[in-house]
Amino acid sequence: MSVMTRVDPALADVDPEIAALIGAEQERQSAKIRLIPSENYVSKAVLEATGTVLTNKYSEGYPGRRYYEGQQVIDQVETIAIERAKSLFGVEHVNVQPYSGSPANLAVYFAFVQPGDTIMGMALPMGGHLTHGAPPTLSGKWLHPVQYGVRKDTGRVDMDQVADLARRERPKIIVCGGTAIPRTIDFPAFAQIASDVGALLLADIAHIAGLVAGGVHPSPVGHAPVITTTTHKTLRGPRGAMILCTEEHGKKIDSAILPGLQGGPHNHTTAAIAVALKEAATPEFRSYAADVVANAKVLADELLARGFDLVSGGTDNHLILIDLTNKDVRGKPTAKALDRAGLELNFNAVPFDPRPPANPSGLRIGTPSVTSRGMGPDEMKHIARWMDEGVEAAKASDEDAIERIFAEVKELTASFPAPGLRG
Ligand code: DSN
C-alpha cells in the first residue's frame, strides 16, 4: 500500500489547520470591502485553473523547444496564453513566464542594460515602483537610477522634469508607469522623450493592464517597444506577469527570462493567465473596466465633497491617492482603524511626503475589487461615508463607531457575493 491512499483525502483531512486558515481568508475577503487598488477577485474559472496538476510539471524553455520531455499539453497551454495576449493587446511578441512584476522588470534590465548603466523611472514616493530604481532595490543598487516625480502644484507627472532629466542623464531605459498614479499616463509624450535621447521606453502597466485591455486607458502599444504587466490586478488573472514587446526584442526578452533569470515556468499560472485573457477579451470585461473607472470617479467626487484632499484632485483610472494631512491623522493608524471597520486599504506615501514611508501621510484606494462584486455608484457613496466616519472614529479612538461601521459594511457585502468565493 502506498503512502497516499488511492482516493486522495481532502485538504481539510490532510491539513485542517491550513484548510481552516484558507476558509478564514475566504470569509475575510467576503465580509470586507476590499479597496487595495492592486488587488481583485479572480473568477472561479481562473481559480480552478491555478489549482491543477499543471503545477506538477517542469517546462524550462518555450513551446516547441524545451529542456524536459512530456510537454505535449504544456506547449499547447502556453501557446494559447501567448496568442491570447498578442491578440488582446495587439502586440507582436509575448512572454508569459515571469513569476511576477518585479522579475519581469528585472528581466528587461537584464536584457538591455549593464550594471552601472543609467535608467530613469518614477521615484517610489512619487508613485513609482520599487523596481523602477528605488535606492534599496537591485535596480537602485546595481544600476544608476535617476528619478522623476510629479509637479507639486498639479500632482501629475512632471513631463518637463522627465525631458530635462533625460537630456541631461541620457538613460538607456526610461520607465513609465507606477503604483500610485491616479492619472492617465501620457505614453506618446514619454515615447517622444525616449526617442529624443535614444532610450528604450519600458511601459510598466501592471496597475492599468485591465483598463488598457478594456479600452478605458490609452494603450502603450506603438509607443513603448517593451511593456511589462502583472496579471493579477485590474486584469483579474492569477498572480503572474507578462512581457509584451515588438518582434525585434522578442529573443532578448525570452533569453533574459530563461536562462537569464528564472527556471521552469509556473504552468498552472500560465493556464490561469490564458483563462483570464479569454475573459478579458469579452464585452463583459470591457464594461467591467468602464465600471471600474466610473466607480472610482464617483468615489473620488464623494470623498472630495467630504473634505478629503486627493492627490491631483481626483482620478482618471481605478486608483485614488488621499493626502490625510488636512484631516490631522496619519496614514498607518488610520489604515488600521479602517481595516477594523471592514474597509481594507493601504497606507501610502504622498508626493513630497514629509513623513516616513512606514507611517506616511496618505491612503491608497481603488475600485477593481468592489466593481468585480457588482457594486456601483450607490455603494461608492456608502464607502465614502464610511471612510469619512472611520477617519473621525480613528481620530477619536472610538472603537464603538468602528464596530458599528463594520456591521453596516457586512450588511452591504452580504448582498454582493464576490466572484470565486463559496456562496
Ligand atoms: N504591490 C503592488 C501594488 O500594490 O501596487 C506593486 O508591486
Side-chain angles (χ1 to χ4, degrees):
M1 186 75 176
S2 66
V3 175
M4 300 295 287
T5 52
R6 268 165 59 84
V7 178
D8 287 344
L11 174 64
D13 296 323
V14 176
D15 194 336
E17 198 179 2
I18 288 296
L21 286 172
I22 292 171
E25 174 62 9
Q26 177 157 300
E27 290 301 315
R28 197 193 65 77
Q29 290 191 16
S30 172
K32 283 188 179 170
I33 289 177
R34 298 174 60 231
L35 294 166
I36 294 175
S38 48
E39 295 183 349
N40 212 329
Y41 294 95
V42 298
S43 68
K44 192 159 179 277
V46 168
L47 267 187
E48 270 181 31
T50 57
T52 59
V53 294
L54 274 61
T55 196
N56 296 339
K57 188 74 196 114
Y58 256 125
S59 311
E60 274 92 335
Y62 292 99
R65 47 198 171 94
R66 306 274 190 189
Y67 290 86
Y68 289 66
E69 296 314 313
Q71 309 296 343
Q72 295 82 357
V73 174
I74 299 300
D75 274 4
Q76 294 181 62
V77 170
E78 188 167 333
T79 301
I80 290 171
I82 290 168
E83 291 307 320
R84 286 181 182 166
K86 280 162 73 172
S87 152
L88 183 66
F89 290 97
V91 288
E92 294 170 356
H93 185 91
V94 176
N95 187 307
V96 295
Q97 296 190 5
Y99 298 144
S100 201
S102 296
N105 286 341
L106 290 187
V108 176
Y109 300 147
F110 191 58
F112 296 105
V113 293
Q114 297 295 318
D117 278 351
T118 302
I119 60 156
M120 188 166 105
M122 194 171 190
L124 182 64
M126 292 282 173
H129 186 252
L130 284 161
T131 55
H132 298 177
T137 70
L138 187 144
S139 65
K141 286 185 192 291
W142 289 8
L143 302 172
H144 172 245
V146 291
Q147 305 259 271
Y148 60 86
V150 299
R151 285 175 59 113
K152 212 167 190 169
D153 54 343
T154 62
R156 294 173 186 246
V157 176
D158 187 343
M159 294 309 294
D160 293 333
Q161 186 196 20
V162 173
D164 289 347
L165 258 181
R167 270 195 296 269
R168 196 169 68 233
E169 301 283 349
R170 315 296 292 190
K172 291 211 167 138
I173 295 178
I174 296 177
V175 189
C176 59
T179 62
I181 305 175
R183 295 295 181 176
T184 301
I185 299 166
D186 190 345
F187 296 122
F190 272 103
Q192 185 60 57
I193 293 167
S195 153
D196 290 347
V197 300
L200 177 93
L201 181 62
L202 163 60
D204 179 343
I205 62 165
H207 263 259
I208 55 169
L211 308 185
V212 171
V216 293
H217 188 290
S219 170
V221 176
H223 304 293
V226 181
I227 299 161
T228 54
T229 183
T230 50
T231 45
H232 48 269
K233 298 188 174 84
T234 48
L235 193 56
R236 216 160 60 177
R239 302 196 80 88
M242 303 188 289
I243 305 176
L244 324 175
C245 63
T246 52
E247 196 58 53
E248 179 195 356
H249 298 306
K251 267 206 172 104
K252 265 193 168 174
I253 290 294
D254 286 352
S255 307
I257 288 289
L258 182 114
L261 196 65
Q262 297 188 170
H266 294 174
N267 296 315
H268 55 301
T269 299
T270 307
I273 289 174
V275 176
L277 290 167
K278 182 173 186 179
E279 292 174 347
T282 59
E284 290 76 16
F285 190 87
R286 286 183 86 79
S287 54
Y288 163 71
D291 289 348
V292 167
V293 174
N295 276 342
K297 279 200 197 319
V298 174
L299 185 51
D301 287 346
E302 292 291 316
L303 289 169
L304 285 168
R306 289 175 177 278
F308 281 92
D309 180 10
L310 307 187
V311 172
S312 84
T315 181
D316 296 329
N317 54 30
H318 64 300
L319 184 149
I320 297 164
L321 191 55
I322 304 170
D323 185 342
L324 291 169
T325 309
N326 69 338
K327 296 275 182 188
D328 203 20
V329 287
R330 308 289 179 233
K332 188 173 180 177
T334 308
K336 287 191 171 304
L338 289 171
D339 188 49
R340 289 199 299 280
L343 301 162
E344 182 190 357
L345 39 71
N346 69 276
F347 60 84
N348 213 93
V350 295
F352 309 101
D353 203 328
R355 300 192 46 79
N359 187 10
S361 302
L363 297 176
R364 190 185 67 150
I365 60 173
T367 51
S369 299
V370 289
T371 308
S372 287
R373 297 182 83 146
M375 293 186 188
D378 286 345
E379 288 70 43
M380 297 308 113
K381 289 176 193 164
H382 289 306
I383 292 171
R385 175 170 58 80
W386 287 324
M387 287 199 54
D388 196 7
E389 292 170 359
V391 166
E392 292 311 315
K395 212 159 142 180
S397 301
D398 184 350
E399 287 302 317
D400 289 345
I402 300 268
E403 247 176 62
R404 194 257 310 151
I405 296 169
F406 198 7
E408 289 180 23
V409 163
K410 280 194 271 200
E411 216 172 290
L412 181 82
T413 51
S415 312
F416 290 89
L421 304 194
R422 221 178 21 225

